[in-house]
Amino acid sequence: MPGDHKPKTANGKIVRSTKQRQAILDILTKQQSHLSAEEIYQAVKITQPRISLGTVYRNLEILTELGSIYRNSFADGKARYESATIGHHHHLVCINCQDIENLTACPMAQDIGNLAQSHDFEPLEHYFEVYGYCGKCRRKD
Amino acid sequence: MPGDHKPKTANGKIVRSTKQRQAILDILTKQQSHLSAEEIYQAVKITQPRISLGTVYRNLEILTELGSIYRNSFADGKARYESATIGHHHHLVCINCQDIENLTACPMAQDIGNLAQSHDFEPLEHYFEVYGYCGKCRRKD
DNA sequence: ATCGCTGCAAATCATTTGCAGCAGC
DNA sequence: GCTGCTGCAAATGATTTGCAGCGAT
């Protein structure tokens, strides 16, 4: 059926729209912050009290695959998610208060192009995170 | 006692030299690759058959704290370690064969200095990883 | 009526930790 | 001999998965 563009996952399954999935996406879109699966679970429970953590993980996986959200693994080994409406960006992570600030500029777009040439490598994604102290925490110490 | 510089961890304990710790450091120094705790465990068992995985983790923690090795968490959520003798660098990670190539140049040293100014942030460390296909895998597909 | 999705619970995987004996310094 | 280190096993924390019923198309 030409013109039919139902979203599908990598394994070819059609993706349905459920209130659980919509609630998760809503939270990530509204909060505009970097939430862990557990934090998302706690937030979704307000509107969907019977949702399970397993469902949260399954939906985060699907939404990541669809490109609706980004998954980031930071140095603490825990994955955090954010809405993809913000577009490509990087992170300043405070090692004291754990706050994450987004860096809207991507200074290495050009560098990556050069890498492709000099290292025989086809770049698809890249991650750049800076760890340190945010202004607030620096002044507190 | 001035002139006395025994290595210590953050909690002030003196660090002793043990054959288990030395074996782990040897492997990382010789292999010059990015090994997971489990891979290191398997490699150390050849010379230290009675070593436990717990000891491997404890030593990786101490060696990281001392700055003898680097810990990196990649997108698969697993930590990988490498000898610090190589110096600061970044990574090209192949999402097909999982091979990791080191990037000796750090193109963002200057960018990070600018960030400090414009974002009221004190940078301590930074990570930069590019995910994509290495030359070998690109030609295979 | 399909077949994807859900809640629940149990399973898995990486990593951490309590403990009693052992080993550097 | 003090005290950090080890092996072992059990505990933790994040994430995944099997299953039977439910719900979206």
Side-chain angles (χ1 to χ4, degrees):
Chain A
M1 191 194 299
D4 188 9
H5 294 290
K6 291 182 196 288
K8 294 184 188 176
T9 56
N11 54 53
K13 290 189 178 178
I14 290 169
V15 175
R16 292 182 180 161
S17 165
T18 67
K19 46 184 165 21
Q20 290 89 339
R21 178 132 59 225
Q22 195 53 51
I24 291 171
L25 194 51
D26 276 357
I27 283 165
L28 286 173
T29 308
K30 284 194 195 116
Q31 302 240 345
Q32 291 292 356
S33 64
H34 305 73
L35 300 176
S36 66
E38 179 66 35
E39 289 167 336
I40 294 167
Y41 173 52
Q42 295 302 334
V44 181
K45 273 205 294 192
I46 297 169
T47 61
Q48 306 289 326
R50 298 187 52 78
I51 199 173
S52 75
L53 189 50
T55 296
V56 172
Y57 273 105
R58 274 184 281 232
N59 278 312
L60 290 173
E61 166 99 42
I62 292 172
L63 290 169
T64 302
E65 219 188 302
L66 294 177
S68 307
I69 64 176
Y70 297 137
R71 165 192 279 132
N72 284 96
S73 26
F74 292 102
D76 67 350
K78 219 188 293 189
R80 293 177 183 282
Y81 301 82
E82 57 186 326
S83 163
T85 52
I86 336 172
H88 175 76
H89 63 277
H90 298 292
H91 299 113
L92 299 179
V93 186
C94 178
I95 58 180
N96 184 240
C97 69
Q98 316 300 327
D99 206 49
I100 301 173
E101 188 182 346
N102 286 343
L103 264 188
T104 48
C106 175
M108 62 280 302
Q110 187 173 355
D111 299 322
I112 290 174
N114 296 340
L115 289 178
Q117 304 295 316
S118 52
H119 285 80
D120 187 23
F121 189 90
E122 180 187 348
L124 292 181
E125 304 175 44
H126 65 276
Y127 297 91
F128 175 52
E129 288 100 34
V130 185
Y131 291 82
Y133 292 105
C134 69
K136 244 175 266 173
C137 289
R138 193 165 26 149
R139 281 185 285 277
K140 251 180 259 168
D141 294 337
Chain B
M1 191 194 294
D4 187 9
H5 293 290
K6 292 183 195 291
K8 295 183 190 176
T9 56
N11 53 54
K13 289 189 178 179
I14 290 169
V15 175
R16 292 180 181 161
S17 165
T18 66
K19 45 182 165 19
Q20 290 89 338
R21 178 132 60 226
Q22 195 53 52
I24 291 170
L25 195 50
D26 276 358
I27 284 164
L28 286 173
T29 308
K30 284 194 194 116
Q31 302 241 343
Q32 292 292 1
S33 63
H34 305 74
L35 300 176
S36 66
E38 180 66 35
E39 289 167 336
I40 295 167
Y41 174 53
Q42 294 302 333
V44 181
K45 273 205 292 193
I46 297 169
T47 61
Q48 308 288 327
R50 297 187 52 77
I51 199 172
S52 75
L53 188 51
T55 295
V56 172
Y57 273 106
R58 273 185 282 233
N59 278 311
L60 290 173
E61 167 98 41
I62 292 173
L63 290 169
T64 302
E65 221 187 302
L66 294 177
S68 307
I69 63 177
Y70 296 135
R71 165 191 280 132
N72 284 96
S73 24
F74 292 102
D76 67 350
K78 220 189 291 191
R80 294 178 182 279
Y81 301 83
E82 59 186 327
S83 164
T85 53
I86 336 173
H88 175 75
H89 64 276
H90 298 291
H91 298 113
L92 299 179
V93 185
C94 179
I95 58 179
N96 185 241
C97 69
Q98 316 300 327
D99 205 50
I100 301 173
E101 188 182 348
N102 285 343
L103 264 188
T104 49
C106 174
M108 63 280 304
Q110 187 174 354
D111 298 322
I112 290 174
N114 295 341
L115 289 178
Q117 305 295 316
S118 53
H119 284 80
D120 188 23
F121 189 88
E122 180 186 348
L124 292 180
E125 305 175 43
H126 64 277
Y127 298 90
F128 175 52
E129 288 98 34
V130 186
Y131 291 82
Y133 292 106
C134 70
K136 243 174 267 173
C137 289
R138 194 167 22 151
R139 281 185 287 277
K140 250 182 259 168
D141 293 339

